[in-house]
PDB file of all heavy atoms in Angstrom:
ATOM      1  N   THR A 798       2.819  18.950 -28.529  1.00  0.00           N
ATOM      2  CA  THR A 798       3.070  17.527 -28.375  1.00  0.00           C
ATOM      3  C   THR A 798       2.020  16.627 -28.931  1.00  0.00           C
ATOM      4  O   THR A 798       2.301  15.545 -29.373  1.00  0.00           O
ATOM      5  CB  THR A 798       3.251  17.173 -26.874  1.00  0.00           C
ATOM      6  OG1 THR A 798       1.976  17.387 -26.240  1.00  0.00           O
ATOM      7  CG2 THR A 798       4.275  18.002 -26.169  1.00  0.00           C
ATOM      8  N   GLY A 799       0.744  17.150 -28.860  1.00  0.00           N
ATOM      9  CA  GLY A 799      -0.395  16.312 -29.404  1.00  0.00           C
ATOM     10  C   GLY A 799      -0.702  15.230 -28.382  1.00  0.00           C
ATOM     11  O   GLY A 799      -1.493  14.294 -28.796  1.00  0.00           O
ATOM     12  N   THR A 800      -0.054  15.195 -27.304  1.00  0.00           N
ATOM     13  CA  THR A 800      -0.278  14.019 -26.348  1.00  0.00           C
ATOM     14  C   THR A 800      -0.491  14.456 -24.898  1.00  0.00           C
ATOM     15  O   THR A 800      -0.765  13.585 -24.083  1.00  0.00           O
ATOM     16  CB  THR A 800       1.000  13.087 -26.355  1.00  0.00           C
ATOM     17  OG1 THR A 800       2.079  13.814 -25.954  1.00  0.00           O
ATOM     18  CG2 THR A 800       1.160  12.434 -27.731  1.00  0.00           C
ATOM     19  N   HIS A 801      -0.411  15.733 -24.600  1.00  0.00           N
ATOM     20  CA  HIS A 801      -0.505  16.196 -23.250  1.00  0.00           C
ATOM     21  C   HIS A 801      -1.434  17.332 -23.109  1.00  0.00           C
ATOM     22  O   HIS A 801      -1.871  17.931 -24.126  1.00  0.00           O
ATOM     23  CB  HIS A 801       0.949  16.741 -22.787  1.00  0.00           C
ATOM     24  CG  HIS A 801       1.901  15.636 -22.605  1.00  0.00           C
ATOM     25  ND1 HIS A 801       2.505  15.019 -23.720  1.00  0.00           N
ATOM     26  CD2 HIS A 801       2.410  15.088 -21.550  1.00  0.00           C
ATOM     27  CE1 HIS A 801       3.386  14.131 -23.235  1.00  0.00           C
ATOM     28  NE2 HIS A 801       3.327  14.137 -21.932  1.00  0.00           N
ATOM     29  N   LEU A 802      -1.771  17.662 -21.840  1.00  0.00           N
ATOM     30  CA  LEU A 802      -2.507  18.851 -21.556  1.00  0.00           C
ATOM     31  C   LEU A 802      -1.561  19.963 -21.033  1.00  0.00           C
ATOM     32  O   LEU A 802      -0.528  19.733 -20.458  1.00  0.00           O
ATOM     33  CB  LEU A 802      -3.507  18.641 -20.410  1.00  0.00           C
ATOM     34  CG  LEU A 802      -4.652  17.644 -20.752  1.00  0.00           C
ATOM     35  CD1 LEU A 802      -5.535  17.394 -19.545  1.00  0.00           C
ATOM     36  CD2 LEU A 802      -5.523  18.176 -21.942  1.00  0.00           C
ATOM     37  N   LEU A 803      -1.967  21.231 -21.308  1.00  0.00           N
ATOM     38  CA  LEU A 803      -1.283  22.383 -20.696  1.00  0.00           C
ATOM     39  C   LEU A 803      -2.039  22.963 -19.625  1.00  0.00           C
ATOM     40  O   LEU A 803      -3.315  22.978 -19.698  1.00  0.00           O
ATOM     41  CB  LEU A 803      -1.003  23.437 -21.801  1.00  0.00           C
ATOM     42  CG  LEU A 803      -0.162  23.103 -22.954  1.00  0.00           C
ATOM     43  CD1 LEU A 803      -0.195  24.240 -23.963  1.00  0.00           C
ATOM     44  CD2 LEU A 803       1.267  22.728 -22.533  1.00  0.00           C
ATOM     45  N   GLN A 804      -1.377  23.397 -18.542  1.00  0.00           N
ATOM     46  CA  GLN A 804      -2.175  24.055 -17.427  1.00  0.00           C
ATOM     47  C   GLN A 804      -1.360  25.270 -16.926  1.00  0.00           C
ATOM     48  O   GLN A 804      -0.144  25.192 -16.965  1.00  0.00           O
ATOM     49  CB  GLN A 804      -2.237  23.034 -16.205  1.00  0.00           C
ATOM     50  CG  GLN A 804      -2.631  21.640 -16.521  1.00  0.00           C
ATOM     51  CD  GLN A 804      -2.415  20.813 -15.247  1.00  0.00           C
ATOM     52  OE1 GLN A 804      -2.793  21.219 -14.145  1.00  0.00           O
ATOM     53  NE2 GLN A 804      -1.848  19.651 -15.421  1.00  0.00           N
ATOM     54  N   TRP A 805      -2.101  26.261 -16.543  1.00  0.00           N
ATOM     55  CA  TRP A 805      -1.496  27.362 -15.832  1.00  0.00           C
ATOM     56  C   TRP A 805      -2.521  28.035 -14.941  1.00  0.00           C
ATOM     57  O   TRP A 805      -3.723  27.933 -15.240  1.00  0.00           O
ATOM     58  CB  TRP A 805      -0.801  28.326 -16.814  1.00  0.00           C
ATOM     59  CG  TRP A 805      -1.714  28.966 -17.814  1.00  0.00           C
ATOM     60  CD1 TRP A 805      -2.405  30.127 -17.702  1.00  0.00           C
ATOM     61  CD2 TRP A 805      -2.145  28.394 -19.056  1.00  0.00           C
ATOM     62  NE1 TRP A 805      -3.204  30.440 -18.750  1.00  0.00           N
ATOM     63  CE2 TRP A 805      -3.057  29.324 -19.618  1.00  0.00           C
ATOM     64  CE3 TRP A 805      -1.868  27.218 -19.714  1.00  0.00           C
ATOM     65  CZ2 TRP A 805      -3.631  29.105 -20.901  1.00  0.00           C
ATOM     66  CZ3 TRP A 805      -2.483  27.055 -21.006  1.00  0.00           C
ATOM     67  CH2 TRP A 805      -3.369  27.966 -21.493  1.00  0.00           C
ATOM     68  N   PRO A 806      -2.040  28.845 -13.992  1.00  0.00           N
ATOM     69  CA  PRO A 806      -3.076  29.448 -13.076  1.00  0.00           C
ATOM     70  C   PRO A 806      -3.982  30.413 -13.873  1.00  0.00           C
ATOM     71  O   PRO A 806      -3.562  30.997 -14.893  1.00  0.00           O
ATOM     72  CB  PRO A 806      -2.173  30.313 -12.128  1.00  0.00           C
ATOM     73  CG  PRO A 806      -0.856  29.606 -12.176  1.00  0.00           C
ATOM     74  CD  PRO A 806      -0.742  29.064 -13.515  1.00  0.00           C
ATOM     75  N   VAL A 807      -5.246  30.470 -13.451  1.00  0.00           N
ATOM     76  CA  VAL A 807      -6.254  31.318 -14.147  1.00  0.00           C
ATOM     77  C   VAL A 807      -5.748  32.760 -13.989  1.00  0.00           C
ATOM     78  O   VAL A 807      -4.999  33.187 -13.078  1.00  0.00           O
ATOM     79  CB  VAL A 807      -7.686  31.219 -13.560  1.00  0.00           C
ATOM     80  CG1 VAL A 807      -8.223  29.823 -13.803  1.00  0.00           C
ATOM     81  CG2 VAL A 807      -7.671  31.541 -12.025  1.00  0.00           C
ATOM     82  N   LYS A 808      -6.142  33.605 -14.978  1.00  0.00           N
ATOM     83  CA  LYS A 808      -5.564  34.975 -15.023  1.00  0.00           C
ATOM     84  C   LYS A 808      -5.957  35.827 -13.830  1.00  0.00           C
ATOM     85  O   LYS A 808      -5.226  36.804 -13.478  1.00  0.00           O
ATOM     86  CB  LYS A 808      -6.036  35.712 -16.315  1.00  0.00           C
ATOM     87  CG  LYS A 808      -7.532  35.832 -16.342  1.00  0.00           C
ATOM     88  CD  LYS A 808      -7.966  36.452 -17.745  1.00  0.00           C
ATOM     89  CE  LYS A 808      -9.454  36.595 -17.805  1.00  0.00           C
ATOM     90  NZ  LYS A 808      -9.907  37.206 -19.068  1.00  0.00           N
ATOM     91  N   GLU A 809      -7.008  35.473 -13.130  1.00  0.00           N
ATOM     92  CA  GLU A 809      -7.399  36.255 -12.034  1.00  0.00           C
ATOM     93  C   GLU A 809      -6.419  36.195 -10.792  1.00  0.00           C
ATOM     94  O   GLU A 809      -6.388  37.041  -9.964  1.00  0.00           O
ATOM     95  CB  GLU A 809      -8.762  35.773 -11.455  1.00  0.00           C
ATOM     96  CG  GLU A 809      -9.953  36.059 -12.311  1.00  0.00           C
ATOM     97  CD  GLU A 809     -10.120  35.109 -13.529  1.00  0.00           C
ATOM     98  OE1 GLU A 809      -9.291  34.170 -13.691  1.00  0.00           O
ATOM     99  OE2 GLU A 809     -11.092  35.235 -14.271  1.00  0.00           O
ATOM    100  N   ILE A 810      -5.591  35.193 -10.836  1.00  0.00           N
ATOM    101  CA  ILE A 810      -4.550  35.032  -9.774  1.00  0.00           C
ATOM    102  C   ILE A 810      -3.616  36.264  -9.879  1.00  0.00           C
ATOM    103  O   ILE A 810      -3.081  36.717  -8.770  1.00  0.00           O
ATOM    104  CB  ILE A 810      -3.721  33.825  -9.935  1.00  0.00           C
ATOM    105  CG1 ILE A 810      -4.642  32.530  -9.800  1.00  0.00           C
ATOM    106  CG2 ILE A 810      -2.509  33.655  -9.089  1.00  0.00           C
ATOM    107  CD1 ILE A 810      -5.245  32.464  -8.375  1.00  0.00           C
ATOM    108  N   GLU A 811      -3.381  36.824 -11.028  1.00  0.00           N
ATOM    109  CA  GLU A 811      -2.518  37.939 -11.108  1.00  0.00           C
ATOM    110  C   GLU A 811      -2.929  39.173 -10.245  1.00  0.00           C
ATOM    111  O   GLU A 811      -2.137  39.976  -9.782  1.00  0.00           O
ATOM    112  CB  GLU A 811      -2.399  38.457 -12.576  1.00  0.00           C
ATOM    113  CG  GLU A 811      -1.699  37.518 -13.488  1.00  0.00           C
ATOM    114  CD  GLU A 811      -0.216  37.226 -13.054  1.00  0.00           C
ATOM    115  OE1 GLU A 811       0.458  38.143 -12.649  1.00  0.00           O
ATOM    116  OE2 GLU A 811       0.174  36.094 -13.118  1.00  0.00           O
ATOM    117  N   SER A 812      -4.329  39.338  -9.982  1.00  0.00           N
ATOM    118  CA  SER A 812      -4.758  40.356  -9.143  1.00  0.00           C
ATOM    119  C   SER A 812      -4.236  40.250  -7.708  1.00  0.00           C
ATOM    120  O   SER A 812      -4.284  41.239  -6.944  1.00  0.00           O
ATOM    121  CB  SER A 812      -6.264  40.467  -9.166  1.00  0.00           C
ATOM    122  OG  SER A 812      -6.891  39.324  -8.492  1.00  0.00           O
ATOM    123  N   LEU A 813      -3.894  39.068  -7.384  1.00  0.00           N
ATOM    124  CA  LEU A 813      -3.267  38.833  -5.993  1.00  0.00           C
ATOM    125  C   LEU A 813      -1.897  39.371  -5.851  1.00  0.00           C
ATOM    126  O   LEU A 813      -1.341  39.441  -4.721  1.00  0.00           O
ATOM    127  CB  LEU A 813      -3.320  37.376  -5.620  1.00  0.00           C
ATOM    128  CG  LEU A 813      -4.757  36.723  -5.643  1.00  0.00           C
ATOM    129  CD1 LEU A 813      -4.580  35.240  -5.324  1.00  0.00           C
ATOM    130  CD2 LEU A 813      -5.630  37.395  -4.603  1.00  0.00           C
ATOM    131  N   ARG A 814      -1.255  39.743  -6.931  1.00  0.00           N
ATOM    132  CA  ARG A 814       0.125  40.181  -6.918  1.00  0.00           C
ATOM    133  C   ARG A 814       0.261  41.723  -6.910  1.00  0.00           C
ATOM    134  O   ARG A 814       1.349  42.289  -7.133  1.00  0.00           O
ATOM    135  CB  ARG A 814       0.857  39.624  -8.136  1.00  0.00           C
ATOM    136  CG  ARG A 814       0.920  38.105  -8.076  1.00  0.00           C
ATOM    137  CD  ARG A 814       1.635  37.636  -9.345  1.00  0.00           C
ATOM    138  NE  ARG A 814       1.590  36.152  -9.400  1.00  0.00           N
ATOM    139  CZ  ARG A 814       2.693  35.387  -9.222  1.00  0.00           C
ATOM    140  NH1 ARG A 814       3.842  35.996  -9.077  1.00  0.00           N
ATOM    141  NH2 ARG A 814       2.621  34.172  -9.320  1.00  0.00           N
ATOM    142  N   ALA A 815      -0.840  42.417  -6.714  1.00  0.00           N
ATOM    143  CA  ALA A 815      -0.840  43.919  -6.720  1.00  0.00           C
ATOM    144  C   ALA A 815      -0.250  44.414  -5.413  1.00  0.00           C
ATOM    145  O   ALA A 815      -0.336  43.840  -4.359  1.00  0.00           O
ATOM    146  CB  ALA A 815      -2.278  44.428  -6.814  1.00  0.00           C
ATOM    147  N   GLY A 816       0.432  45.541  -5.528  1.00  0.00           N
ATOM    148  CA  GLY A 816       1.013  46.207  -4.339  1.00  0.00           C
ATOM    149  C   GLY A 816       2.317  45.671  -3.803  1.00  0.00           C
ATOM    150  O   GLY A 816       2.846  44.702  -4.376  1.00  0.00           O
ATOM    151  N   ASP A 817       2.780  46.276  -2.787  1.00  0.00           N
ATOM    152  CA  ASP A 817       4.041  45.822  -2.206  1.00  0.00           C
ATOM    153  C   ASP A 817       3.889  44.623  -1.376  1.00  0.00           C
ATOM    154  O   ASP A 817       3.012  44.615  -0.443  1.00  0.00           O
ATOM    155  CB  ASP A 817       4.581  47.033  -1.314  1.00  0.00           C
ATOM    156  CG  ASP A 817       5.965  46.725  -0.802  1.00  0.00           C
ATOM    157  OD1 ASP A 817       6.423  45.516  -0.949  1.00  0.00           O
ATOM    158  OD2 ASP A 817       6.607  47.664  -0.216  1.00  0.00           O
TER     159      ASP A 817
END
Side-chain angles (χ1 to χ4, degrees):
T798 66
T800 57
H801 292 75
L802 295 177
L803 297 175
Q804 317 170 41
W805 61 92
V807 295
K808 63 184 179 180
E809 290 83 355
I810 294 300
E811 291 301 318
S812 68
L813 300 176
R814 297 176 184 251
D817 186 349

